[in-house]
Structures are given as structure tokens and as C-alpha cells.
Amino acid sequence: MLKKCILFGLLGLFASATFAQKYYTREGKISFSSDAKIEKIEATNKSATSVYDSESGKMEFAVLIKAFQFEKALMQEHFNENYMESDKFPKATFKGMIGDYKSVNLSKDGVYPVKVKGQLTIHGVTKDVETEGKFVVKGGTVSAASTFEVAVADYGIQIPSVVRDNIAKTVTIDIVVAYQELKKGS
Amino acid sequence: MKKIILWGLLAAVIIAGVTGYMMWNKPHQNIQKASADVTVDASTLYSEYESDENAANEKYLGKIVAVSGVVRETSTDETGSVKVMLESGSEMGGIICELDPLSEHKRKTFQSGEQVSFKGKCDGVLMDVVLTRCVEGN
């Protein structure tokens, strides 16, 4: 929490100093799916947080592992207990930068494809990742979206050999966030 | 004699199959019927997370938590998912209660300033403490 206070404190400081534009959401949607032999595995999370600073191009995401909802209770249980160990690692985070962020004009309607680079932490393991995404500005509201793949083994997630053939080695992650402007003084 | 063994085997296979199928399709926990593991008010829950996240996780993470507090705001997304934010005594964050999509709800609208209580599963803290699968009442 202290970190958060410092973060917000800094945000506030920058906001007043440079008129920087900060955008945030606490209702980001992150879902993932993997095609398995027996059944498709899918889960959705509707309470991811994200902060984007259009002055520096910095972007952050955080998501609670236990808030992923599966259709099957058993899958949700295995996901939390066996694979993600969500009691030990309750969050996944991303901290990074938008590549050509100056080309994105968030005050003008349009679709802006961008490259994103940063560190993704899942299951306590941090990896450098690079992917593509886009900003969509429509009627003054800013949203961002990206789809990318993650190899389960990269994050130290162990899949028992009995079920290895039934679980895909890569998982497709979908992110859609509708940002709100961070008002000064709030 | 052989016949009895065969029938026995067949029965065993059927039982195993049915059990497996039922486990595979095991329903999600019925939150409405579940009793709360911990009861707490919104500002205490928030300040416990604020002062020591790990200790708060020990106490609340993955548990069914009954939380009471005052509604700050409510939001509904395009899929009909309703979130009620409770006051926490801090401007930085609050308690987000996401209504359970699998339960029937008497109502899905809440007024700011209203006193409410929810029961749901605690998923941890980001900007706010997040409770999912919430139902109203204890």
C-alpha cells in the first residue's frame, strides 16, 4: 500500500507539474483461452486495473488470479490450486512502455496500432515481453486492446504429465480496457 | 461365477464413469447457501489490506467474506455485470463487490450512501479490495 501511495503521490506531482494525462481503469477485462483436446479452457476477469501515462508512454496492468471466472468449477479449482498457486501468487502484473506513444493522439478519434514492451509477471516469474496492441479513441473515450500468447512453461507453471496432452502449451490472452481520465486532485 | 465378476466389473466401470462425469461437471459453490468464513466492515477490511497486504491475504484471500458498508457508486457493464463500490474511509480505493452472475438477485440497483451488506469471495487487493460472486445479505 505504501508503494501505491507513493505511486499516486508521484502521479499527482507529475500531473500538476507537466499537465500530464493519466488514464486508469479498475474494470479492465482480461480473458484467456487455450484449445485443449478434451475441452476448450476459457476464463474471464472483469476487475483488472491499468494505468496509462500518455506523456511518458508508461503503462501498467494488474490482475487478481482468483478473480478469473471459469465455466467449470473444477477447472477454476485446478487453475488456482495446481497451476497458478494463487494463494502464494495472488496477482499477475505487467509494467511497460508503448513504443511510438507520441504518435497516439488520445484527444482525436481514431484507431492507433502500437507496440508494447515490458515485464510480465505471472506465477511469481518475470519475463520480458513484446507484443502489439491498439488504442481506440471514440467520442472522447479511450480504450486499449491487445491479444498475445504466453507459453505456460516460461512462467514455471507445471502441468502434470497425465494431463499434459489435454492442456495447450500456450495460452491466448485477450485484454480490453476502457480508460477513464485521472482527474487532478482525485 | 464368471458372470458375477463380469457384472461386478461392469457396475464398477459405470460407477467410476458417473463419478468422474459428476466431478468434471461439479457446480460452482452456491454462495447464497454458503456461510461466511469472516465477517468484517468495509473500512476495517480496507485498512487491514492497506497496512499489511500479506497478513490480510492470510486472513481473507479465497475466503467467503461478509462485508458491510456504505455504497459509494455502482456500475454496470455491457454484459450486465454489476459492481458495487463500498466506502473504505480512503479516497484511494474501496471495496469492489461484483455481483455473482450465477445467483438470482432481488435487486441490482443500489443508491449511493445506502447501507448494505454483501457476501462474496475475496480475491485480494489491487487499487481496491475485490470481492467476486457477491450476493446481498449475510
mmCIF file of all heavy atoms in Angstrom, chain A residues 17-39:
data_model
loop_
_atom_site.group_PDB
_atom_site.id
_atom_site.type_symbol
_atom_site.label_atom_id
_atom_site.label_comp_id
_atom_site.label_asym_id
_atom_site.label_seq_id
_atom_site.Cartn_x
_atom_site.Cartn_y
_atom_site.Cartn_z
ATOM 1 N N ALA A 17 2.732 19.204 -12.374
ATOM 2 C CA ALA A 17 3.943 19.807 -12.912
ATOM 3 C C ALA A 17 3.919 19.899 -14.444
ATOM 4 O O ALA A 17 4.390 20.868 -15.005
ATOM 5 C CB ALA A 17 5.172 19.013 -12.477
ATOM 6 N N THR A 18 3.363 18.908 -15.095
ATOM 7 C CA THR A 18 3.515 18.873 -16.549
ATOM 8 C C THR A 18 2.190 18.792 -17.301
ATOM 9 O O THR A 18 2.168 18.639 -18.498
ATOM 10 C CB THR A 18 4.359 17.649 -16.971
ATOM 11 O OG1 THR A 18 3.617 16.486 -16.596
ATOM 12 C CG2 THR A 18 5.708 17.628 -16.327
ATOM 13 N N PHE A 19 1.087 18.852 -16.599
ATOM 14 C CA PHE A 19 -0.230 18.653 -17.210
ATOM 15 C C PHE A 19 -0.319 17.301 -17.896
ATOM 16 O O PHE A 19 -0.973 17.146 -18.911
ATOM 17 C CB PHE A 19 -0.559 19.767 -18.210
ATOM 18 C CG PHE A 19 -0.649 21.114 -17.573
ATOM 19 C CD1 PHE A 19 0.377 22.023 -17.706
ATOM 20 C CD2 PHE A 19 -1.757 21.445 -16.810
ATOM 21 C CE1 PHE A 19 0.308 23.256 -17.095
ATOM 22 C CE2 PHE A 19 -1.840 22.692 -16.194
ATOM 23 C CZ PHE A 19 -0.795 23.603 -16.332
ATOM 24 N N ALA A 20 0.423 16.350 -17.363
ATOM 25 C CA ALA A 20 0.428 15.026 -17.974
ATOM 26 C C ALA A 20 -0.975 14.444 -17.926
ATOM 27 O O ALA A 20 -1.748 14.734 -17.030
ATOM 28 C CB ALA A 20 1.377 14.116 -17.219
ATOM 29 N N GLN A 21 -1.250 13.655 -18.901
ATOM 30 C CA GLN A 21 -2.535 12.990 -18.949
ATOM 31 C C GLN A 21 -2.385 11.563 -18.468
ATOM 32 O O GLN A 21 -1.623 10.797 -19.020
ATOM 33 C CB GLN A 21 -3.059 12.983 -20.383
ATOM 34 C CG GLN A 21 -3.471 14.344 -20.867
ATOM 35 C CD GLN A 21 -4.693 14.853 -20.131
ATOM 36 O OE1 GLN A 21 -5.705 14.182 -20.087
ATOM 37 N NE2 GLN A 21 -4.582 16.040 -19.545
ATOM 38 N N LYS A 22 -3.116 11.269 -17.395
ATOM 39 C CA LYS A 22 -3.110 9.904 -16.879
ATOM 40 C C LYS A 22 -4.475 9.285 -17.116
ATOM 41 O O LYS A 22 -5.490 9.952 -16.943
ATOM 42 C CB LYS A 22 -2.837 9.897 -15.377
ATOM 43 C CG LYS A 22 -1.561 10.564 -14.967
ATOM 44 C CD LYS A 22 -0.392 9.673 -15.232
ATOM 45 C CE LYS A 22 0.862 10.223 -14.599
ATOM 46 N NZ LYS A 22 1.226 11.531 -15.134
ATOM 47 N N TYR A 23 -4.435 8.052 -17.480
ATOM 48 C CA TYR A 23 -5.677 7.326 -17.690
ATOM 49 C C TYR A 23 -5.647 6.083 -16.818
ATOM 50 O O TYR A 23 -4.585 5.506 -16.608
ATOM 51 C CB TYR A 23 -5.823 6.927 -19.163
ATOM 52 C CG TYR A 23 -5.929 8.106 -20.076
ATOM 53 C CD1 TYR A 23 -4.781 8.749 -20.529
ATOM 54 C CD2 TYR A 23 -7.164 8.599 -20.472
ATOM 55 C CE1 TYR A 23 -4.867 9.854 -21.353
ATOM 56 C CE2 TYR A 23 -7.270 9.705 -21.288
ATOM 57 C CZ TYR A 23 -6.119 10.334 -21.736
ATOM 58 O OH TYR A 23 -6.209 11.426 -22.545
ATOM 59 N N TYR A 24 -6.814 5.697 -16.320
ATOM 60 C CA TYR A 24 -6.814 4.498 -15.490
ATOM 61 C C TYR A 24 -8.135 3.755 -15.640
ATOM 62 O O TYR A 24 -9.131 4.298 -16.123
ATOM 63 C CB TYR A 24 -6.586 4.857 -14.015
ATOM 64 C CG TYR A 24 -7.834 5.353 -13.331
ATOM 65 C CD1 TYR A 24 -8.573 4.502 -12.511
ATOM 66 C CD2 TYR A 24 -8.291 6.647 -13.531
ATOM 67 C CE1 TYR A 24 -9.734 4.947 -11.898
ATOM 68 C CE2 TYR A 24 -9.446 7.094 -12.921
ATOM 69 C CZ TYR A 24 -10.166 6.239 -12.101
ATOM 70 O OH TYR A 24 -11.321 6.665 -11.514
ATOM 71 N N THR A 25 -8.131 2.518 -15.203
ATOM 72 C CA THR A 25 -9.372 1.767 -15.073
ATOM 73 C C THR A 25 -9.212 0.774 -13.934
ATOM 74 O O THR A 25 -8.101 0.366 -13.615
ATOM 75 C CB THR A 25 -9.754 1.014 -16.352
ATOM 76 O OG1 THR A 25 -10.997 0.345 -16.131
ATOM 77 C CG2 THR A 25 -8.708 -0.029 -16.735
ATOM 78 N N ARG A 26 -10.325 0.434 -13.309
ATOM 79 C CA ARG A 26 -10.303 -0.658 -12.338
ATOM 80 C C ARG A 26 -11.253 -1.746 -12.812
ATOM 81 O O ARG A 26 -11.569 -2.651 -12.078
ATOM 82 C CB ARG A 26 -10.654 -0.152 -10.937
ATOM 83 C CG ARG A 26 -11.920 0.615 -10.902
ATOM 84 C CD ARG A 26 -12.049 1.718 -9.864
ATOM 85 N NE ARG A 26 -11.207 1.709 -8.709
ATOM 86 C CZ ARG A 26 -10.892 2.813 -8.043
ATOM 87 N NH1 ARG A 26 -11.321 3.987 -8.496
ATOM 88 N NH2 ARG A 26 -10.170 2.762 -6.978
ATOM 89 N N GLU A 27 -11.724 -1.611 -14.051
ATOM 90 C CA GLU A 27 -12.674 -2.593 -14.581
ATOM 91 C C GLU A 27 -12.204 -3.171 -15.903
ATOM 92 O O GLU A 27 -13.005 -3.435 -16.799
ATOM 93 C CB GLU A 27 -14.045 -1.929 -14.755
ATOM 94 C CG GLU A 27 -14.602 -1.420 -13.443
ATOM 95 C CD GLU A 27 -15.998 -0.845 -13.581
ATOM 96 O OE1 GLU A 27 -16.425 -0.556 -14.706
ATOM 97 O OE2 GLU A 27 -16.659 -0.720 -12.547
ATOM 98 N N GLY A 28 -10.892 -3.333 -16.037
ATOM 99 C CA GLY A 28 -10.351 -3.900 -17.267
ATOM 100 C C GLY A 28 -10.750 -5.363 -17.416
ATOM 101 O O GLY A 28 -10.896 -6.070 -16.424
ATOM 102 N N LYS A 29 -10.933 -5.771 -18.679
ATOM 103 C CA LYS A 29 -11.303 -7.165 -18.915
ATOM 104 C C LYS A 29 -10.121 -7.924 -19.484
ATOM 105 O O LYS A 29 -9.544 -7.547 -20.489
ATOM 106 C CB LYS A 29 -12.461 -7.238 -19.897
ATOM 107 C CG LYS A 29 -13.707 -6.658 -19.320
ATOM 108 C CD LYS A 29 -14.927 -7.053 -20.134
ATOM 109 C CE LYS A 29 -16.170 -6.616 -19.405
ATOM 110 N NZ LYS A 29 -16.241 -5.146 -19.287
ATOM 111 N N ILE A 30 -9.760 -8.995 -18.791
ATOM 112 C CA ILE A 30 -8.696 -9.857 -19.280
ATOM 113 C C ILE A 30 -9.256 -11.269 -19.338
ATOM 114 O O ILE A 30 -9.824 -11.762 -18.369
ATOM 115 C CB ILE A 30 -7.460 -9.793 -18.354
ATOM 116 C CG1 ILE A 30 -6.905 -8.367 -18.358
ATOM 117 C CG2 ILE A 30 -6.407 -10.800 -18.799
ATOM 118 C CD1 ILE A 30 -5.612 -8.178 -17.608
ATOM 119 N N SER A 31 -9.165 -11.882 -20.508
ATOM 120 C CA SER A 31 -9.623 -13.258 -20.587
ATOM 121 C C SER A 31 -8.534 -14.086 -21.241
ATOM 122 O O SER A 31 -7.651 -13.555 -21.904
ATOM 123 C CB SER A 31 -10.931 -13.344 -21.373
ATOM 124 O OG SER A 31 -10.776 -12.742 -22.619
ATOM 125 N N PHE A 32 -8.574 -15.376 -20.997
ATOM 126 C CA PHE A 32 -7.616 -16.225 -21.700
ATOM 127 C C PHE A 32 -8.303 -17.494 -22.157
ATOM 128 O O PHE A 32 -9.349 -17.882 -21.642
ATOM 129 C CB PHE A 32 -6.389 -16.527 -20.839
ATOM 130 C CG PHE A 32 -6.667 -17.411 -19.655
ATOM 131 C CD1 PHE A 32 -6.698 -18.789 -19.800
ATOM 132 C CD2 PHE A 32 -6.887 -16.858 -18.412
ATOM 133 C CE1 PHE A 32 -6.945 -19.600 -18.722
ATOM 134 C CE2 PHE A 32 -7.143 -17.666 -17.322
ATOM 135 C CZ PHE A 32 -7.177 -19.042 -17.482
ATOM 136 N N SER A 33 -7.730 -18.090 -23.163
ATOM 137 C CA SER A 33 -8.303 -19.339 -23.657
ATOM 138 C C SER A 33 -7.185 -20.215 -24.179
ATOM 139 O O SER A 33 -6.138 -19.733 -24.588
ATOM 140 C CB SER A 33 -9.302 -19.054 -24.766
ATOM 141 O OG SER A 33 -8.653 -18.443 -25.847
ATOM 142 N N SER A 34 -7.404 -21.501 -24.096
ATOM 143 C CA SER A 34 -6.447 -22.413 -24.703
ATOM 144 C C SER A 34 -7.225 -23.581 -25.269
ATOM 145 O O SER A 34 -8.193 -24.052 -24.677
ATOM 146 C CB SER A 34 -5.417 -22.870 -23.672
ATOM 147 O OG SER A 34 -5.890 -23.983 -22.972
ATOM 148 N N ASP A 35 -6.838 -23.991 -26.462
ATOM 149 C CA ASP A 35 -7.535 -25.093 -27.110
ATOM 150 C C ASP A 35 -6.965 -26.402 -26.637
ATOM 151 O O ASP A 35 -5.832 -26.743 -26.922
ATOM 152 C CB ASP A 35 -7.381 -24.986 -28.630
ATOM 153 C CG ASP A 35 -8.405 -24.014 -29.181
ATOM 154 O OD1 ASP A 35 -9.571 -24.133 -28.793
ATOM 155 O OD2 ASP A 35 -8.027 -23.145 -29.990
ATOM 156 N N ALA A 36 -7.756 -27.123 -25.882
ATOM 157 C CA ALA A 36 -7.306 -28.419 -25.409
ATOM 158 C C ALA A 36 -8.049 -29.486 -26.182
ATOM 159 O O ALA A 36 -9.048 -29.210 -26.835
ATOM 160 C CB ALA A 36 -7.575 -28.539 -23.926
ATOM 161 N N LYS A 37 -7.541 -30.711 -26.088
ATOM 162 C CA LYS A 37 -8.169 -31.804 -26.826
ATOM 163 C C LYS A 37 -9.569 -32.071 -26.308
ATOM 164 O O LYS A 37 -10.513 -32.226 -27.062
ATOM 165 C CB LYS A 37 -7.330 -33.073 -26.683
ATOM 166 C CG LYS A 37 -6.292 -33.205 -27.786
ATOM 167 C CD LYS A 37 -5.599 -34.549 -27.691
ATOM 168 C CE LYS A 37 -4.343 -34.550 -28.529
ATOM 169 N NZ LYS A 37 -3.422 -35.618 -28.109
ATOM 170 N N ILE A 38 -9.703 -32.149 -24.994
ATOM 171 C CA ILE A 38 -10.987 -32.528 -24.426
ATOM 172 C C ILE A 38 -11.973 -31.372 -24.484
ATOM 173 O O ILE A 38 -13.093 -31.507 -24.921
ATOM 174 C CB ILE A 38 -10.817 -32.993 -22.957
ATOM 175 C CG1 ILE A 38 -10.064 -34.319 -22.943
ATOM 176 C CG2 ILE A 38 -12.167 -33.139 -22.281
ATOM 177 C CD1 ILE A 38 -9.902 -34.919 -21.564
ATOM 178 N N GLU A 39 -11.534 -30.238 -24.054
ATOM 179 C CA GLU A 39 -12.449 -29.114 -23.975
ATOM 180 C C GLU A 39 -11.673 -27.818 -23.994
ATOM 181 O O GLU A 39 -10.551 -27.747 -23.520
ATOM 182 C CB GLU A 39 -13.252 -29.186 -22.671
ATOM 183 C CG GLU A 39 -14.479 -28.332 -22.702
ATOM 184 C CD GLU A 39 -15.486 -28.744 -21.634
ATOM 185 O OE1 GLU A 39 -15.196 -29.693 -20.883
ATOM 186 O OE2 GLU A 39 -16.523 -28.121 -21.553
#
